[in-house]
Amino acid sequence: MQIEVRQKDLDEPVASAPSAPVSVWGVSFSGTLRTRWARLPLPGNAETDVVDDWNGGHASHDDWTGGGASQGPGWLGFLADASDLLAGTLDLNMVPALIAQIVVPRLATWCAVYTAGSNGEPHTPAYLWHADESQIDALREQLDHAEIPAVDNLSPMPIQLADWQSLAFPLTARGRSLGIMCLGRAGRFPDDVAQLAEDLGRRAALAMDNARLYAQQADANRALQRSLLPPGTPAETPGLDYSVVYEPAGETNEVGGDFYDLFTTGESSWRFAIGDVCGTGPEAAAVTGLARHTLRLLAREGYDVAAVMSRLNRAILEEGERARFLTLLHGEITRTDDGLDLSLISAGHPEALRLRPSGVVEAVVTSQSLLGVFPEVEFEADHVHLAPGDVLLGVTDGVTERRSGARLLDDDGGLAKLLAECVDLSARGVAERIRRAVEEFAIEPSADDLAILVLRAD
């Protein structure tokens, strides 16, 4: 038998246990309504188990199971909803919390989830939940002194815990032991509830393993992304003020194709690059790494900008089927008495813009063939002078092609208009102004990587 008491607008922070002995009890909430419930065994009858309905109501055990069959329609709906919830997250830290909150109070009064340690280390407590939150600390202390079965045990095992009937269910997926789900209740576990918990444990383990694999892949791709960024930019650049912004887009399981670089080649000379490889993923990352390392190596071997671009083009084509198209703005900066001299080439890249202190903005480079398409292409450098206060802006198409409905940010010279508003700003101020404008141009998150390079003659 189950007794319920509904109360409204309570100031009591936690619920207290019933004063009379009961099989199990708990509290559920809906807005300002608090429902206290308790299950009492009827004299002369076998224990009757009442399970909360997934949507917040209550039904008798037979209603759920169809008279004792663990595959009754009520349980099937419960398992389906539980599977949907578990499949809805790839956060490895969230899965144990979901498991416990799915189980309590529907199958048990409390649930503790442990994750398997690495290299044979003891399992680690991941999450603990009790129908009465005020009892969690006391339960945790009991579990700290309890003997939890080994994670390599593939069958449900009882746990010796005072005042509780407790079972430990292995969490195993794809032949790998991931941890243990421990359940406890005041009365014994009916066979069908234990079978249901075992089924739920298999689904929970699969969700944990999926989250684990996703986290490993995300970590690997973050490490790969970091390896594609320059090891550092020059600490001192007398006469040159610069700033870079780089923001990869998309899910963590994708490696972006945008990259940038700025490095010293002499006492008062530097090389810079900003590029965009077609696509994302490992193939794009391979071309990104090839481009960045080739640019640095050839520049330090003394090759001029045009020779570097020609050799990089051949190197990409030699990749064969792995080759990807690459747009690139690459140049050499030399400090002079009256500013900076630039020798630069745009290989199919969005046009570079120069901002004068007067507010005039103009394109300063001719677009040439992108890299990785034609084997015999010849490149010719453009020469640009930056007087003190002049700014050169280079971006990838994550800026120019930022979309809001049918409009692109660079429609009708949108990027040039933004740059014209940046007179008297530092290189960092210009980069941040452009980045913020890109972010505010559309509500939706960007689906493309973004890179911004700003050079300013001091």
Side-chain angles (χ1 to χ4, degrees), residues 1 21 23 39-48:
M1 179 177 69
S23 296
R39 300 171 190 165
L40 289 74
L42 296 176
N45 291 347
E47 179 186 4
T48 300

Side-chain angles (χ1 to χ4, degrees), residues 270-306:
W270 306 271
R271 291 283 179 98
F272 71 90
I274 181 169
D276 184 1
V277 179
C278 174
T280 58
E283 294 83 0
V287 175
T288 299
L290 172 66
R292 191 173 66 76
H293 292 298
T294 300
L295 290 171
R296 286 200 171 214
L297 177 63
L298 294 179
R300 286 170 177 163
E301 289 292 324
Y303 289 95
D304 63 25
V305 173

Side-chain angles (χ1 to χ4, degrees), residues 145-220:
H145 297 89
E147 184 176 346
I148 307 299
V151 294
D152 56 356
N153 193 319
L154 299 181
S155 301
M157 295 286 292
I159 304 173
Q160 300 301 319
L161 205 63
D163 303 326
W164 298 104
Q165 295 291 321
S166 309
L167 285 177
F169 297 86
L171 298 174
T172 304
R174 301 183 178 102
R176 179 186 180 91
S177 295
L178 302 173
I180 284 180
M181 175 181 71
C182 300
L183 308 185
R185 53 193 287 148
R188 71 173 185 85
F189 279 90
D191 291 342
D192 56 339
V193 173
Q195 291 172 14
L196 181 70
E198 192 171 0
D199 192 345
L200 182 62
R202 287 191 290 268
R203 299 170 191 236
L206 187 60
M208 289 181 68
D209 199 44
N210 288 338
R212 178 186 65 84
L213 294 172
Y214 181 84
Q216 288 180 348
Q217 185 65 49
D219 288 344

